């Protein structure tokens, strides 16, 4: 028969409901399975609404099967006397498990390591459902991911209970029979409550485990399943938006939260006054989502319209009062946003600069004003590095790098000024975005306004990158300032704790360097970011490079590159991250060659030989000391292949460079077959080591090919 458990509570925290529901169902079902009361593949259905957590488990037994158990008692040498009689120690042990001397013939002697021991075979009775469910329920409540525990008093007026919210009902049905379990001062029954306002009757008596969801829907006006309720909201949102030829904003977190707020959703269409559309749409969208849990509607161009959708928890015959109420509630919020926007534009960003000196950034790193100066200095250094890059970097101006430097300095100076505006004070999520709006209002160069808006990008995984060169440089400078500053004072992430989002900042730097293929060396960027701090920090170069390498390795594996491929490329610690994707593709192409496995194994062997060399590795290969035909052939092959491979490498044709090395397979194999590297003659040995050193250097410019050896 199937099992249904429901805990009826007061309104649960909406942002936690989804996890609470999943945990309640999973932990309880897993415990039943572990006790043998449910099959390992038993179907489990989770229920979670604002006022209930529940689970339906298919095929639950009334009693678990008895289980054969073998228990080790003690070594034979301790248990039996020399004539085979039971010692007092054995008799005491038998008594502790409910057996007497008559059990001696049933004991088994079996090897236990180097000695023998006595074992007792018994049949352990399976748990009854009442016992097993009580244990499962206790475990489940103890393991719930409760964000904040409440303490409340039970009806007796004396007992206290700690739980996420006060609980008022417990249902436990095995088929149609109540399972006598208890939790949180409640005794299980079959009665629950439906919707506060829409239910046909205040209480719903559940007939059986399988009728629970249908009865709650029909009699209680509640969709108990979180997933079904979420799907119903999505369906209604789309239908209401389609009726207006508009699109609801896509926000999975908002959809989850609204699903956790209603038991029977009813989507209604509302509207606000068109005058509010003069305010930046990001402000309006944020206030509607964050404060009211509304779904703004966008037109085909992605522009905000005056219409929005409300997910109501009631469905009156005439919904006009609900619509008007929501329209009335949102109006002051939008009016506040308009007021903030109008007030903020009365003061220029530049006039707010002195105020940044009064805003603390970090106790050891000074104010936001000092931080802005550091970002400005780092950004200037990045422009200088770009202007001197070996690879050409084209920017969008006649007097290119001077103009870029001017824009970068201006954007970096003003980028944090919107932190002092009323709008960002109310909605911190809009920092950067509002700075861009205010910069355009002041008539600043569009490239500067875009850079101010984009300098936080990428803000999260999958976010877009800065749109122009100015924004790219300022975003890099901003992230490097954060990383160098906090690493430089020892504020490193630990485990899952990363209060300053340094992992996200590092991934942002990596994405910008890689996806924009910037001709910048990461170590040089870190070094350029240190001087603006003066004596505040110590140079964290080595620690930061390791941190970047770890983040990059994780990112590349997530993109589908194998651990071997990533390891081979990152083993060389490439300074220019923009080269990494091309190196990876080259390694992948090389690994597909028939010669790859042999060359990788040979490269690993060469590396091991060279590691054992004491002192300085010989570098000069003397042709007159090349005695064996195989070593002469290898030297000739290297001399023939290396120039072309090196030229392709310098041209950043890494795939071509590695493929050129395939010609070395035969001479390398012959060398190891026919030549003794560690010759007795020191001169011959040194010459052969120098030859292997040249081979190793030629093979490992793109990646450490030995990492591909299996």
């Amino acid at each position: 028969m199937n099992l249904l458990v429901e805990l009826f509570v007061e309104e649960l925290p909406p942002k936690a409901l989804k996890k609470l529901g999943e945990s309640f169902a999973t932990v309880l079902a897993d415990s039943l399975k572990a006790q043998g009361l449910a099959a390992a593949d038993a179907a489990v259905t989770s229920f979670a609404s604002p006022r209930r957590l529940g689970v339906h488990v298919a095929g639950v037994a009334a009693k678990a099967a008895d289980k054969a158990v073998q228990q080790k008692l003690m070594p034979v040498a301790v248990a039996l006397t020399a004539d085979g009689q039971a010692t007092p120690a054995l008799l005491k042990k038998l008594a502790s498990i409910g057996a007497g001397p008559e059990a001696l013939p049933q004991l088994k002697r079996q090897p236990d390591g180097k000695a023998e021991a006595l074992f007792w075979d018994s049949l352990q009775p399976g748990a009854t459902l009442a016992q097993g469910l009580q244990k499962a329920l206790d475990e489940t409540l103890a393991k719930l991911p409760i964000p904040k525990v409440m303490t409340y008093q039970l009806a007796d007026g004396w007992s206290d209970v700690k739980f996420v919210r006060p609980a008022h009902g417990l249902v436990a049905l095995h088929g149609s029979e109540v399972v006598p379990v208890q939790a949180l001062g409640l005794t299980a029954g079959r009665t629950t409550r439906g919707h506060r306002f829409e239910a046909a009757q205040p209480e719903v008596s559940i007939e059986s485990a399988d009728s629970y969801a249908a009865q709650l829907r029909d009699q209680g006006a509640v969709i108990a399943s979180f997933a079904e309720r979420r799907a119903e909201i999505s369906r209604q949102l789309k239908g209401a938006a389609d009726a207006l030829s508009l699109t609801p904003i896509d926000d999975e977190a908002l959809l989850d939260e609204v699903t956790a707020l209603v038991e029977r959703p009813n989507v209604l269409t509302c509207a606000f006054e068109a005058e509010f559309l003069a305010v930046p749409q990001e402000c309006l969208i944020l206030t509607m989502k964050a404060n009211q849990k509304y779904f703004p509607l966008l037109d085909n161009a992605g522009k905000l319209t005056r219409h929005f959708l409300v997910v109501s928890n009631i469905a009156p015959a005439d919904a006009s009062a609900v619509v008007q109420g929501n329209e009335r509630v949102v109006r002051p919020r939008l009016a506040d946003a308009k007021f903030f926007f109008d007030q903020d534009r009365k003061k220029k960003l530049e006039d707010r600069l002195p105020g940044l000196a009064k805003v603390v950034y970090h106790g050891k790193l000074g104010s936001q004003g000092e931080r802005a100066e550091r970002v400005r200095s780092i950004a200037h250094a990045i422009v200088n590095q770009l202007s001197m890059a070996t690879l050409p970097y084209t920017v969008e101006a006649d007097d290119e790098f001077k103009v870029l430097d001017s824009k970068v300095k201006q954007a970096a100076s003003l980028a944090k000024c919107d932190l002092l505006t009323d709008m960002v004070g109310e909605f911190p999520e809009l920092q950067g975005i509002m700075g861009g709006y205010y910069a355009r209002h002041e008539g600043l160069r569009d490239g500067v306004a875009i850079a101010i808006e984009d300098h936080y990008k990428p803000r999260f995984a999958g976010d877009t990158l800065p749109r122009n060169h100015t924004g790219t440089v300022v975003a890099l400078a901003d992230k490097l300032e954060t990383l160098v500053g906090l690493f430089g004072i020892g504020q490193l992430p630990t485990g899952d704790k990363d209060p300053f989002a340094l992992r996200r900042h590092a991934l942002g730097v990596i994405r910008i360097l890689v996806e924009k293929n910037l001709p910048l060396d990461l170590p040089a960027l870190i070094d350029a970011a240190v001087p603006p701090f003066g004596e505040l920090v110590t140079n964290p170069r080595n620690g930061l490079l390791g941190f970047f390498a770890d983040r990059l390795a994780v990112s590349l594996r997530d993109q589908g590159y194998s651990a071997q491929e990533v390891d081979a490329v990152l083993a060389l610690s490439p300074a220019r991250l923009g080269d990494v994707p091309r190196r990876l593709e080259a390694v992948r192409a090389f690994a597909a060659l028939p010669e790859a496995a042999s060359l990788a194994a040979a490269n690993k062997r060469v590396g091991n030989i060279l590691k054992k060399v004491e002192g300085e590795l010989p570098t000069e290969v003397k042709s007159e000391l090349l005695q064996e035909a195989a070593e002469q052939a290898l030297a000739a092959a290297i001399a023939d292949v290396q120039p072309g491979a090196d030229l392709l490498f310098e041209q950043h044709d890494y795939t071509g460079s590695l493929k050129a090395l395939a010609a070395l397979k035969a001479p390398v194999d012959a060398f190891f077959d026919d030549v003794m590297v560690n010759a007795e003659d020191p001169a011959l040995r040194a010459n052969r080591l120098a030859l292997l050193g040249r081979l190793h250097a030629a093979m490992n410019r793109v990646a450490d090919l030995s990492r591909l050896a299996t």
Side-chain angles (χ1 to χ4, degrees):
M1 287 190 288
N2 300 332
L3 176 74
L4 180 282
V5 179
E6 183 212 66
L7 186 64
F8 183 79
V9 295
E10 293 183 15
E11 274 74 4
L12 292 160
K15 291 186 178 179
L17 179 63
K18 187 177 181 182
K19 286 186 177 179
L20 288 171
E22 291 169 350
S23 176
F24 187 87
T26 301
V27 176
L28 191 143
D30 286 349
S31 179
L32 294 177
K33 292 174 182 179
Q35 296 178 72
L37 288 164
D41 59 351
V44 179
T45 304
S46 169
F47 300 105
S49 81
R51 299 201 295 161
R52 71 200 75 240
L53 299 172
V55 59
H56 180 278
V57 185
V60 175
K63 181 179 180 298
D66 295 342
K67 187 177 179 181
V69 177
Q70 186 175 73
Q71 182 180 356
K72 177 184 172 182
L73 299 180
M74 59 183 61
V76 170
V78 178
L80 301 177
T81 62
D83 59 355
Q85 299 300 310
T87 63
L90 176 59
L91 294 174
K92 185 177 180 181
K93 182 67 176 178
L94 287 172
S96 70
I97 61 174
E102 68 280 358
L104 283 175
Q106 301 171 38
L107 301 184
K108 292 183 179 178
R109 295 177 61 152
Q110 293 179 189
D112 183 45
K114 294 182 179 180
E116 278 190 319
L118 289 182
F119 291 84
W120 166 253
D121 288 339
S122 62
L123 199 62
Q124 180 177 309
T128 64
L129 179 56
Q131 295 168 334
L133 182 56
Q134 186 65 64
K135 179 182 177 183
L137 198 52
D138 293 342
E139 289 177 4
T140 299
L141 298 181
K143 293 180 180 179
L144 275 181
I146 297 174
K148 190 174 182 179
V149 174
M150 286 184 64
T151 301
Y152 62 95
Q153 210 169 51
L154 295 180
D156 62 14
W158 297 98
S159 307
D160 285 342
V161 172
K162 296 180 184 295
F163 195 53
V164 59
R165 291 291 186 270
H168 298 297
L170 178 64
V171 174
L173 294 175
H174 186 223
S176 59
E177 298 296 322
V178 174
V179 184
V181 293
Q182 295 182 329
L184 304 175
L186 303 168
T187 299
R190 64 171 67 249
T191 303
T192 187
R193 289 181 175 270
H195 195 287
R196 284 190 186 276
F197 311 109
E198 303 283 323
Q201 53 203 45
E203 294 186 345
V204 179
S205 179
I206 307 300
E207 296 171 5
S208 71
D210 294 343
S211 69
Y212 171 75
Q215 281 189 262
L216 267 184
R217 179 183 287 104
D218 299 338
Q219 300 172 29
V222 171
I223 301 175
S225 167
F226 188 95
E228 287 183 26
R229 210 163 55 253
R230 191 179 193 274
E232 175 62 17
I233 293 173
S234 293
R235 186 190 67 77
Q236 291 189 36
L237 288 172
K238 185 178 185 305
D242 287 348
L244 297 171
S245 298
L246 299 175
T247 303
I249 195 159
D250 184 16
D251 190 320
E252 296 295 311
L254 176 62
L255 183 56
D256 282 342
E257 188 173 359
V258 170
T259 303
L261 287 168
V262 298
E263 291 194 309
R264 189 166 191 169
N266 179 34
V267 172
L268 302 172
T269 303
C270 306
F272 57 81
E273 289 78 0
E275 65 185 79
F276 292 121
L277 292 175
V279 180
Q281 69 177 44
E282 292 90 347
C283 308
L284 304 181
I285 289 171
L286 186 58
T287 192
M288 284 193 284
K289 286 179 7 180
N291 295 320
Q292 307 303 135
K293 314 306 175 189
Y294 296 159
F295 287 83
L297 290 175
L298 310 177
D299 63 18
N300 292 332
K303 187 177 179 181
L304 181 67
T305 69
R306 58 187 292 267
H307 298 283
F308 61 94
L309 300 178
V310 174
V311 183
S312 174
N313 196 34
I314 56 175
D318 180 4
S320 59
V322 179
V323 170
Q324 291 168 12
N326 281 282
E327 292 176 343
R328 185 171 60 251
V329 166
V330 79
R331 195 172 294 119
R333 295 286 187 178
L334 302 183
D336 285 346
K338 186 176 186 303
F339 175 77
F340 293 148
F341 185 56
D342 292 340
Q343 289 297 112
D344 286 342
R345 288 183 296 171
K346 293 178 181 179
K347 188 174 183 179
K348 291 184 176 181
L349 290 174
E350 188 176 2
D351 294 338
R352 299 181 187 274
L353 263 174
L356 289 177
K358 301 175 184 178
V359 180
V360 175
Y361 166 55
H362 189 284
K364 294 183 179 180
L365 297 174
S367 68
Q368 285 287 1
E370 292 169 305
R371 185 185 182 207
E373 279 300 312
R374 291 194 294 266
V375 172
R376 184 176 184 271
S377 179
I378 295 168
H380 171 66
I382 294 172
V383 173
N384 285 341
Q385 289 188 22
L386 285 171
S387 67
M388 295 184 292
T390 53
L391 285 177
Y393 183 74
T394 305
V395 294
E396 71 283 0
D398 296 333
D399 196 10
E400 46 189 27
F401 286 107
K402 287 184 180 179
V403 174
L404 177 62
D405 192 43
S406 171
K407 290 181 180 179
V408 160
K409 288 178 178 176
Q410 186 180 23
S413 296
L414 301 178
K416 303 299 179 185
C417 289
D418 68 353
L419 295 176
L420 300 176
T421 63
D422 291 338
M423 187 71 82
V424 173
E426 181 71 13
F427 300 113
E429 302 92 332
L430 296 177
Q431 54 190 284
I433 294 170
M434 295 314 303
Y437 276 106
Y438 298 142
R440 291 187 189 91
H441 173 72
E442 294 171 21
L444 298 182
R445 289 174 288 187
D446 194 50
V448 172
I450 289 174
I452 291 172
E453 181 179 343
D454 287 0
H455 83 280
Y456 288 106
K457 291 184 176 181
R459 295 171 183 255
F460 51 85
D463 191 18
T464 56
L465 298 183
R467 290 165 285 176
N468 63 14
H469 300 284
T470 308
T472 296
V473 172
V474 178
L476 271 178
D478 183 67
K479 290 168 176 56
L480 287 167
E481 191 277 340
T482 301
L483 288 160
V484 168
L486 291 166
F487 263 74
I489 60 172
Q491 295 277 0
L492 281 62
T494 56
D496 293 334
K497 295 183 179 179
D498 187 8
F500 299 102
L502 298 186
R503 293 185 179 93
R504 177 168 56 81
H505 284 296
L507 281 172
V509 171
I510 289 168
R511 281 194 59 199
I512 291 172
L513 293 177
V514 171
E515 295 178 31
K516 288 187 174 286
N517 192 24
L518 297 181
L520 296 170
D521 290 352
L522 183 59
L525 285 174
I526 295 172
D527 290 342
V530 174
F533 286 92
E535 301 297 320
L536 293 177
V537 305
T538 54
N539 193 333
R541 187 177 195 255
N542 292 336
L544 259 180
L545 286 174
F547 186 67
F548 273 110
D550 290 342
R551 296 295 94 207
L552 179 57
V554 171
S555 174
L556 293 171
R557 289 196 292 269
D558 288 344
Q559 293 172 45
Y561 293 104
S562 71
Q564 272 188 321
E565 292 166 344
V566 172
D567 193 27
V569 171
L570 297 191
L572 300 187
S573 301
R576 189 160 296 176
L577 300 191
D579 283 348
V580 168
R582 289 195 297 274
R583 290 177 183 249
L584 284 165
E585 292 304 323
V587 167
R588 182 167 288 180
F590 173 79
L593 297 175
E595 300 88 352
S598 178
L599 284 173
N603 190 53
K604 185 174 183 179
R605 184 175 180 183
V606 170
N608 290 335
I609 292 171
L610 297 180
K611 284 178 188 176
K612 296 177 182 177
V613 175
E614 296 181 2
E616 191 172 344
L617 181 68
T619 57
E620 183 183 1
V621 179
K622 299 177 181 178
S623 57
E624 66 273 13
L625 293 178
L626 297 171
Q627 294 185 351
E628 303 289 342
E631 61 183 328
Q632 293 170 359
L634 178 58
I638 294 173
D640 182 49
V641 168
Q642 188 172 10
D646 287 350
L647 178 61
L648 291 168
F649 179 86
E650 299 300 335
Q651 294 172 347
H652 299 273
D653 182 359
Y654 300 129
T655 300
S657 181
L658 281 183
K659 284 185 175 180
L661 300 176
L664 295 175
K665 177 186 182 303
V668 167
D669 290 346
F671 177 87
F672 281 115
D673 287 342
D674 301 340
V675 178
M676 174 68 71
V677 176
N678 291 319
E680 293 185 7
D681 185 337
L684 281 179
R685 182 167 63 251
N687 202 56
R688 288 169 182 171
L689 288 172
L691 180 62
L692 290 181
R694 181 174 295 178
L695 172 66
H696 196 257
M699 294 180 71
N700 292 299
R701 295 199 70 184
V702 175
D704 182 353
L705 298 184
S706 68
R707 306 296 177 104
L708 301 178
T710 55

